[in-house]
Amino acid sequence: MEQKTYSRAPLPQRLTALFNNEAWHYLATHSDLRIAEGHIAGRKVMAVATDPAASMGTFGMSECVDFKWAVLRARATGVPILLLIDSAGTRLTAGLPVQGAIRALLREMLDARLAG
């Protein structure tokens, strides 16, 4: 019998395992990025996850926008973010603009970290 590993499990299964089979739900996104909220050990958390089954988990402009939205939401609410990033990088078809979007996203993440 083949043993399934966490990293090879479909994203919904990975999120269910992360949230320890407790209730969780997806937040609306406009991309292949998945953002979920739930509780771990009684603490509300947000998970930002790529889905390798969708475009190999790559980042395009819309994924960067959704990720930045999640960071801003986390800063505003004080909810920690857990990252489940399994990505092949950026979408080559997105060209140079996605590189700028990635830089802006990283800047937002650094600002959030510096803000505590």
Side-chain angles (χ1 to χ4, degrees):
M1 173 190 286
E2 180 182 339
Q3 181 180 1
K4 288 193 172 196
T5 63
Y6 177 80
S7 64
R8 291 196 178 131
L11 184 57
Q13 266 186 302
R14 291 167 57 191
L15 289 168
T16 298
L18 174 70
F19 291 113
N20 198 23
N21 293 318
E22 292 187 32
W24 60 273
H25 63 277
Y26 286 117
L27 300 176
T29 61
H30 301 92
S31 69
D32 290 333
L33 195 69
R34 296 293 169 247
I35 303 172
E37 282 187 337
H39 290 82
I40 297 175
R43 184 168 186 189
K44 186 175 184 177
V45 297
M46 182 186 322
V48 176
T50 55
D51 186 351
S55 302
M56 295 188 302
T58 57
F59 277 80
M61 296 295 291
S62 55
E63 286 74 22
C64 291
V65 169
D66 283 341
F67 200 150
K68 186 174 178 181
W69 173 84
V71 172
L72 292 171
R73 179 182 171 101
R75 282 185 73 180
T77 62
V79 172
I81 292 180
L82 303 173
L83 303 178
L84 281 75
I85 306 297
D86 184 2
S87 175
T90 60
R91 293 191 185 134
L92 297 178
T93 56
L96 288 177
V98 77
Q99 299 304 318
I102 290 285
R103 281 193 293 275
L105 171 59
L106 291 174
R107 176 59 192 228
E108 194 61 50
M109 292 175 67
L110 287 171
D111 287 346
R113 178 65 182 116
L114 291 171

